[in-house]
Amino acid sequence: MVILTVIIVIISILLVAIILMQKSKGGGLAAGFQSNNQIMGAPRTADFLEKATWGMMIAIAVLCIASTLILSNGTSATTSGSAIQEQQSAAPVMPESTDNIPSDIPSAENN
């Protein structure tokens, strides 16, 4: 479970970096790196960045769903009805009457 969480965080950080490198209406961070629609000297990098963005978004969605399924499968045994009933039957029960309480115990009225 921890491994999936770490992978999701790493992909999220990479996704933010790729989104910031893409050209926006105002130029964005990509304006400093590009000339004639080329980022870092490679043609069609905008297409690559867009495909990488979609791929990482899909990867995050799949990993989140997988981690949810793993988490729900791991806790289903402890939330079953029989486990709850066992805990309730093992709980201590209060006595119904107070007739068996010894009289030598001081009460709040005697203080």
Side-chain angles (χ1 to χ4, degrees), residues 57-99:
M57 288 190 311
I58 292 169
I60 289 173
V62 169
L63 289 173
C64 288
I65 292 171
S67 65
T68 302
L69 292 174
I70 290 172
L71 184 62
S72 66
N73 287 341
T75 59
S76 63
T78 58
T79 58
S80 66
S82 62
I84 294 173
Q85 290 173 352
E86 288 176 12
Q87 289 178 356
Q88 288 176 346
S89 64
V93 179
M94 294 294 293
E96 293 181 14
S97 68
T98 58
D99 295 337

Side-chain angles (χ1 to χ4, degrees), residues 15-77:
L15 182 62
V16 168
I18 287 178
I19 288 173
L20 289 175
M21 284 193 290
Q22 292 180 8
K23 183 177 181 180
S24 65
K25 292 180 181 178
L29 290 179
F33 296 110
Q34 71 183 19
S35 61
N36 297 331
N37 203 13
Q38 292 182 5
I39 300 175
M40 297 178 229
R44 297 184 187 158
T45 308
D47 294 336
F48 169 74
L49 290 176
E50 184 177 350
K51 289 178 184 178
T53 302
W54 280 104
M56 288 188 181
M57 288 190 311
I58 292 169
I60 289 173
V62 169
L63 289 173
C64 288
I65 292 171
S67 65
T68 302
L69 292 174
I70 290 172
L71 184 62
S72 66
N73 287 341
T75 59
S76 63

